[in-house]
């Protein structure tokens, strides 16, 4: 039986995938996004150890709330850091008729990750920026990896939702929206793209960790600004 590191669990989430979901936030992430809302999940040494059985037995208790399209979501942190543990949870979810969703940055590709994807019904993939420089500077990985990950999802016939956090002055511009729509139009596996507002509520978490919140200098976009960008994006997707 596989064991893995978990940061926290949300029993009835509505923001992390289709329908109502049992959301497991895994511990550990190899990236360091400037706007990371959950910095306490980054260090793989933290968190609490659980077995895949313990997780699935908890999720089963909420099965009646999942409806037709809800289920279990593995988020983080970065679930791809613990692919065998995640795959075993998804395998057991399927054995119990529970839909599986993965929320990921797509920053790791290997055999174990491919096996995990084979057991995933729905993928939420972050495309954090649409130019190489910003990816390198504000995320800490090459932009080519999540794009290669998206190619793998296309090849495997997965249904994908792309997500991007909008940070004023960094990516709240037409060029970014155009590039995002180009990515969506290039990959038929993408069923929608969701733009999310950058938020600063996590500042206290950085303070508690004695770390500087480097994105404090950026503004939070208004609902209206996000709606305008989302509308532009939707109208340029074929
Ligand atoms: S990928 Fe997610 S968990 Fe990792 S640093 Fe970025 S925002 Fe934080």
């Amino acid at each position: 039986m596989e064991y893995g590191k978990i940061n926290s669990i949300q029993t009835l989430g509505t923001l992390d995938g289709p329908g109502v979901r049992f959301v497991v936030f895994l511990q550990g992430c190899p990236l360091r996004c400037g706007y990371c809302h959950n910095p306490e999940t980054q260090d793989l040494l933290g968190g609490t150890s659980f077995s895949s059985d313990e997780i699935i037995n908890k999720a089963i208790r909420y099965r009646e709330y999942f409806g037709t399209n809800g289920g279990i979501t593995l988020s983080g942190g970065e679930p791809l850091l613990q692919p065998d543990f995640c795959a075993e949870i998804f395998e057991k979810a399927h054995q119990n008729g529970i839909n599986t969703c993965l929320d990921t940055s797509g920053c790791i590709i290997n055999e174990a990750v491919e096996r995990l994807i084979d057991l995933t019904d729905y993928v939420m993939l972050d495309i954090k920026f649409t130019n190489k420089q910003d990816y390198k500077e504000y995320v800490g990985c090459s932009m080519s990896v999540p794009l290669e990950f998206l190619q793998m999802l296309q090849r495997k016939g997965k249904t994908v939702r792309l997500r991007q956090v909008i940070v004023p002055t960094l990516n709240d511009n037409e060029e970014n929206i155009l590039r995002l729509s180009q990515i969506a139009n290039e990959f038929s596996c993408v069923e929608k793209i969701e733009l999310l507002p950058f938020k600063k509520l996590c500042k206290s978490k950085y303070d508690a960790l004695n770390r500087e919140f480097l994105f404090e200098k950026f503004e939070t976009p208004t609902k209206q600004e996000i709606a305008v960008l989302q509308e532009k994006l939707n109208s340029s997707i074929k």
Side-chain angles (χ1 to χ4, degrees), residues 124-142:
M124 298 204 293
L125 173 65
D126 292 345
I127 297 294
K128 293 174 183 289
F129 293 97
T130 53
N131 72 72
K132 292 178 186 168
Q133 183 53 35
D134 285 347
Y135 241 100
K136 211 168 160 199
E137 190 168 343
Y138 301 121
V139 179
C141 82
S142 159

Side-chain angles (χ1 to χ4, degrees), residues 29 31-33 35-38 41-42 76-78 105 126 128:
C29 181
L31 303 184
R32 292 294 177 265
C33 304
Y35 55 66
C36 183
H37 212 65
N38 299 313
T41 66
Q42 291 174 353
E78 176 49 70
S105 65
D126 292 345
K128 293 174 183 289

Side-chain angles (χ1 to χ4, degrees), residues 66-201:
F66 295 157
T68 49
N69 59 350
I72 186 165
T73 293
L74 298 184
S75 182
E78 176 49 70
L80 303 183
L81 266 186
Q82 305 183 69
D84 294 334
F85 174 57
C86 293
E88 198 167 274
I89 292 173
F90 277 0
E91 202 167 18
K92 290 173 182 172
H94 281 165
Q95 284 162 7
N96 285 280
I98 297 174
N99 175 281
T100 61
C101 171
L102 188 70
D103 176 12
T104 178
S105 65
C107 63
I108 301 171
I109 303 172
N110 56 37
E111 264 182 41
V113 165
E114 292 222 18
R115 191 175 109 74
L116 169 61
I117 296 303
D118 289 338
L119 293 159
T120 306
D121 298 318
Y122 192 88
V123 182
M124 298 204 293
L125 173 65
D126 292 345
I127 297 294
K128 293 174 183 289
F129 293 97
T130 53
N131 72 72
K132 292 178 186 168
Q133 183 53 35
D134 285 347
Y135 241 100
K136 211 168 160 199
E137 190 168 343
Y138 301 121
V139 179
C141 82
S142 159
M143 187 179 153
S144 62
V145 187
L147 290 179
E148 201 185 315
F149 195 89
L150 184 54
Q151 279 170 7
M152 188 243 293
L153 298 178
Q154 172 87 16
R155 208 172 56 238
K156 290 181 180 288
K158 298 292 154 180
T159 307
V160 182
R161 180 188 306 182
L162 300 183
R163 302 213 289 182
Q164 187 176 85
V165 172
I166 296 295
V167 186
T169 73
L170 288 187
N171 60 352
D172 61 338
N173 53 67
E174 298 235 354
E175 298 77 49
N176 173 55
I177 296 300
L178 184 66
R179 284 194 295 264
L180 259 183
S181 66
Q182 282 167 348
I183 293 171
N185 290 332
E186 201 180 320
F187 293 93
S188 59
C189 62
V190 175
E191 68 150 15
K192 74 191 254 192
I193 309 184
E194 199 173 21
L195 301 180
L196 305 164
F198 162 63
K199 291 184 179 162
K200 299 201 229 188
L201 290 170

